Amino acid sequence: MIAERGSWVIVGSILIALLLVAIPVPVSWREYTPDWPLLFLFYWVLALPNRVGVLSACVVGILTDLLDGSPAGATAIGAVMAVLVILVSYQRIRQFDGLKQGLVMALLISLVHLVEQRLETFLGWQHSSTAFLMPAAVSFLFWVPVRNCLRFFRRYYEVQ
Amino acid sequence: MGWRAALGIGCCLLLLFYVRDHPALEAPRQFAVDTAAVIYRVAAAPKSAFIGLGDFFQTHSALRADKARLEQENLVLKGQTQKLAAVLAENGRYRALLRSAETLGREVMVAEIIAMTAAPSRHELVIDKGSADAVYVGQPLLGADGLMGQVIRVGQYSSQALLITDATHAVPVQVLRSGVRGLAEGTGALNRLVVRHIAATTDIKEGDTLVTSGLGGLFPAGYPVATITTIIKQPGSSFSQVIAVPTASLDRGRHVMLAIDLMPAGSQ
């Protein structure tokens, strides 16, 4: 059993992801911002599947829900499902090159948003278009930089 | 792993479908709204600092020009207010003649916009007044040029408001010129409202101003909401498609006004 350390790096990075979400951008750009919390969460699950798992996904999901005003839990359910996929196949995903990993992450993020959208529709929210899938596409472009950056910090602070 | 996932999903479903509106959770909900406001404030801090720095280093001449402009504006507004007093008195006499109840005036409270929430499919604002300042759910939000939305979530020191252009929002309106009533619904685009269920034979024109009708009891009557831009009449359809643009600039400005209801409860 390896001693766990560097929890603050994980928690800190998730907090930074939430701050990145909250950065004010012009209204028309909002669709084109990547889904930072999910990207960061997926990285940590992929890197440390023994530490960051479905319960962390639940917490991060609820935090993003509270931040962007969605009903609490809608994103969390999707995030739990997506993280479950990563947990089952992290050894395989780790072998992929950056682009392929990015594709997987974009697919998972779109899954999360689809689940969130369906749940919100049940609760009476209305979604008029498929624009909610745009963050998934943008997140694809951001996966490699995010992964390299977080990997650097993980190694620097020896998070394990 | 499996049972944890089941536990997580179960908790979320419980949260979504049962616990969400439970009255016992008022305190955590308020806490969540306030925490979100803090995060938005921190994220906007560099921008605010930049704007503040710009304000600080404004030149003397620019400030003087601003002052001159504001003084002029103030004079004009004062003049209009004098006229308003006369009109109000006249209106009161007419009301007395018609024996209709006098509507009390409304006060406003100014709030600062902290941010627009991050969800791209929604139009929501975070403002810096909460239940500590007597903000309540459903309180109308006014801009300088018209109705902006209503408060939907209240924290202790901040709250979140839904804009009239959100796809889930609708406001009862009236055409100022002809008194025709309708329902202006948001579309999810910041410069577009649709007015539904307007019969094709109705007296309504492009350029007409829509004001709140006061029906529904939520919004005060008479505030400008939108200007009609397009009316599409399709042959064979009994309704015309009416599109309007909100009069309030929803994505600009740093301050909004919250209407304070002075009417005693239940008198409407």
Side-chain angles (χ1 to χ4, degrees), chain A residues 6-14 37-53 56 86-87 94 143 149-151 153-155 159-160:
Chain A
S7 304
W8 66 272
V9 179
I10 304 177
V11 175
S13 70
I14 296 292
L38 288 181
L39 274 180
F40 280 44
L41 172 75
F42 290 170
Y43 171 77
W44 287 116
V45 177
L46 197 61
L48 305 165
N50 55 328
R51 287 194 64 180
V52 184
S56 319
I86 301 182
L87 283 178
R94 277 179 186 171
W143 167 253
C149 180
L150 288 178
R151 184 190 277 160
F153 282 108
R154 179 172 65 86
R155 289 182 178 159
V159 185
Q160 54 191 11

Side-chain angles (χ1 to χ4, degrees), chain A residues 116-127:
Chain A
E116 182 199 354
Q117 193 242 20
R118 286 323 306 163
L119 284 168
E120 288 181 3
T121 315
F122 280 138
L123 291 165
W125 259 263
Q126 189 191 339
H127 288 269

